[in-house]
Amino acid sequence: MKPAHIVALLVSAAAYGLLAYATPRPAFGQLAGLLALAFGLHVWLLKTGLPLRQGLLAALLLRLLWLPALPAFSDDYHRFRWDGLLLATEGLNPYRYRPDELVVPPGKPADQNEKLITNNRQLPAIYPRLNSPQYYSVYPPVDQALFGVAAWLAPDLEWGFVVALRGLLLLGEVATAWLLLAVLRRFRLPPERALWYLLNPLVLVELTGNLHFEGLVGGFVLLMLWLLTRGRAAAAGGALALAVATKLLPLLVLPLLLRRLPLPKLVWFGLGLAAGLAALFAPFLSLELVENIGRSLNLYFRSFEFNASFYYLARAGGEWLTGYNQIARIGPALALLTALGGLLLAATERRPTWATLPQALLLLLTLYFLLATTVHPWYLAPLVLLSTFTRARYALVWSSMVVLSYSAYRTSAYTENLWLIGLEYTVVLVVLALDVRRGRLGSAYTSTD
């Protein structure tokens, strides 16, 4: 490894250290500046030939740097701990009750709440920090299992819960790294491409730093692909079940498999998927599970909006026509358009093979996020992962530009700067257009430049 590489990695580590321990979320200028430095060094390191082994070691050490840090740019971990404590200390199904049904909100008389928990002092302390106490949990069973394990390991300490959960996620990221290298080699692609994902600053900050589960989803999708290339359809269906039981989004891959699997293997894949989902959801299964997750998903598509692109244009048009926000109609309509786009993509693929599946899924997820009402930065990690199998650059550019969405957190009002959002998507769409024009989405990366 060149001395310049060592210096660049040390400067990167310093930037991540400041992000982890000295950058509050409202400090958007400092956050954007440090991430810009990290992205610049990331690109330079890989363009100048950072060796694979040293890059993998750096990816691990930079993740370990975050190990004792509380998440700085997301407060979702409070809900993670809440759900985990319900499982580990109360024995309650986290899908059955909203937090405001279990803890008396400030200013509300205690006699108005029949389900008040009194035997756990942690829950009332966590309650004021929850960002959505009026909503049922939307985190699928694999997430809940990890929340429960972390809460069981550290039932009384917030810091201990974070360290335990991060340790579990780090084990998942190690497995993901191994699978990514294995699948790249399987498709005869340069294994160095893995570093575009494993050293990506967005992946480091949002998955390791802020404890989001998109990396685990990516690992399970890679496991599914690895098993499919070996003809193990039933096991691959089980792997997809694990992905879906972590985040529901991987269900989008199903149309892309119809022309890749012959009927007998498709049946075995479906049986593996069904059996896996049944086993994973069974411990939580109840009428309330279906009803409450349905309510939360309905609210997601009809109420939540953040860092959107085409949805914001449609919203502006709807407000101009009717005088009020039409998200209740526009959100589901865009979701339906994504589903139709997936079916069209599946039907029109020229050569559907396992080697082209990551590219097809990349395009489908890109359509989903471009039409989504909510695009948090960590949502884009799977795009970065899938882009390692292509020559496309737009996902890597998007992973850096999405940092502009954090400008919304400069004040407690969480007001988005639509000029910055417009800049983000203008740059991304221009790079996407260049990728399409230059044929970077039509074939896998096969050279070593």
Side-chain angles (χ1 to χ4, degrees):
M1 184 166 55
K2 301 174 183 177
H5 288 159
I6 298 176
V7 173
L9 289 171
L10 290 174
V11 174
S12 297
Y16 290 125
L18 290 173
L19 286 167
Y21 302 98
T23 306
R25 187 164 68 168
F28 173 67
Q30 181 176 332
L31 168 64
L34 289 171
L35 279 173
L37 174 61
F39 270 105
L41 291 170
H42 169 60
V43 173
W44 182 84
L45 281 166
L46 299 181
K47 287 291 187 181
T48 55
L50 179 67
L52 178 61
R53 288 188 178 181
Q54 285 80 356
L56 293 174
L57 177 61
L60 176 61
L61 294 178
L62 290 175
R63 282 164 170 77
L64 291 175
L65 178 68
W66 293 82
L67 187 59
L70 292 178
F73 313 127
S74 173
D75 54 9
D76 289 345
Y77 73 98
H78 297 302
R79 185 58 180 263
F80 302 166
R81 188 172 178 229
W82 174 278
D83 285 3
L85 286 171
L86 289 185
L87 279 171
T89 66
E90 302 298 324
L92 291 178
N93 186 337
Y95 299 117
R96 294 193 64 180
Y97 305 109
R98 302 190 310 266
D100 62 0
E101 293 177 317
L102 297 175
V103 170
V104 175
K108 181 179 179 181
D111 59 0
Q112 293 184 19
N113 196 314
E114 298 178 355
K115 303 177 186 126
L116 175 65
I117 289 180
T118 58
N119 59 335
N120 190 310
R121 292 177 295 175
Q122 299 299 321
L123 293 172
I126 297 171
Y127 183 86
R129 302 178 183 182
L130 298 178
N131 56 27
S132 52
Q134 70 277 25
Y135 297 132
Y136 294 100
S137 182
V138 296
Y139 300 106
V142 169
D143 301 2
Q144 298 292 350
L146 294 177
F147 301 160
V149 170
W152 177 75
L153 291 171
D156 300 320
L157 293 175
E158 177 185 71
W159 178 81
F161 172 83
V162 167
V163 171
L165 185 58
R166 186 171 284 126
L168 293 171
L169 290 178
L170 281 172
L171 292 176
E173 291 198 72
V174 170
T176 298
W178 184 90
L179 285 165
L180 179 55
L181 290 168
V183 176
L184 284 169
R185 290 188 173 108
R186 179 75 174 179
F187 295 150
R188 298 180 182 179
L189 300 176
E192 290 78 11
R193 292 287 295 172
L195 297 180
W196 285 101
Y197 172 78
L198 296 173
L199 285 176
N200 184 282
L202 178 76
V203 172
L204 280 162
V205 171
E206 293 295 352
L207 304 191
T208 304
N210 289 333
L211 298 179
H212 292 297
F213 285 69
E214 276 68 14
L216 199 57
V217 174
F220 288 137
V221 171
L222 287 174
L223 177 60
M224 177 199 72
L225 182 58
W226 185 76
L227 291 168
L228 285 171
T229 62
R230 282 156 176 76
R232 300 174 61 184
L240 181 59
L242 287 167
V244 173
T246 307
K247 296 282 182 179
L248 299 179
L249 192 59
L251 283 172
L252 287 175
V253 78
L254 289 177
L256 302 176
L257 300 178
L258 295 178
R259 294 175 58 200
R260 288 177 165 86
L261 282 169
L263 183 58
K265 288 189 176 293
L266 185 61
V267 171
W268 279 111
F269 182 90
L271 290 173
L273 174 61
L277 290 176
L280 292 164
F281 278 89
F284 304 96
L285 194 59
S286 67
L287 182 60
E288 291 90 347
L289 168 65
V290 179
E291 292 178 345
N292 295 341
I293 286 186
R295 289 174 186 152
S296 296
L297 291 175
N298 185 57
L299 282 169
Y300 177 84
F301 286 109
R302 295 178 181 269
S303 302
F304 296 164
E305 50 187 25
F306 181 82
N307 189 39
S309 55
F310 289 104
Y311 161 70
Y312 280 168
L313 297 177
R315 182 186 69 178
E319 290 177 345
W320 180 77
L321 289 172
T322 66
Y324 63 94
N325 192 338
Q326 292 281 338
I327 186 174
R329 292 187 177 90
I330 298 172
L334 292 176
L336 177 60
L337 189 58
T338 299
L340 294 175
L343 293 174
L344 180 62
L345 175 62
T348 57
E349 279 191 277
R350 292 183 179 180
R351 296 178 180 177
T353 66
W354 298 130
T356 61
L357 180 59
Q359 302 169 43
L361 185 55
L362 174 64
L363 289 174
L364 182 51
L365 289 180
T366 299
L367 175 65
Y368 173 82
F369 289 126
L370 287 177
L371 297 180
T373 62
T374 303
V375 184
H376 288 295
W378 56 91
Y379 289 7
L380 302 181
L383 295 186
V384 179
L385 177 65
L386 293 169
S387 71
T388 61
F389 295 92
T390 77
R391 295 185 296 120
R393 299 290 184 263
Y394 74 90
L396 304 174
V397 172
W398 200 350
S399 70
S400 62
M401 296 301 297
V402 75
V403 174
L404 296 176
S405 67
Y406 270 114
S407 63
Y409 299 111
R410 287 177 295 182
T411 66
S412 59
Y414 297 161
T415 302
E416 291 186 272
N417 186 323
L418 294 183
W419 289 105
L420 290 179
I421 300 301
L423 174 62
E424 172 193 343
Y425 283 103
T426 297
V427 172
V428 170
L429 290 173
V430 167
V431 177
L432 174 57
L434 289 174
D435 282 340
V436 172
R437 182 177 179 181
R438 296 174 181 176
R440 290 175 175 167
L441 287 169
S443 60
Y445 185 85
T446 57
S447 66
T448 57
D449 61 348

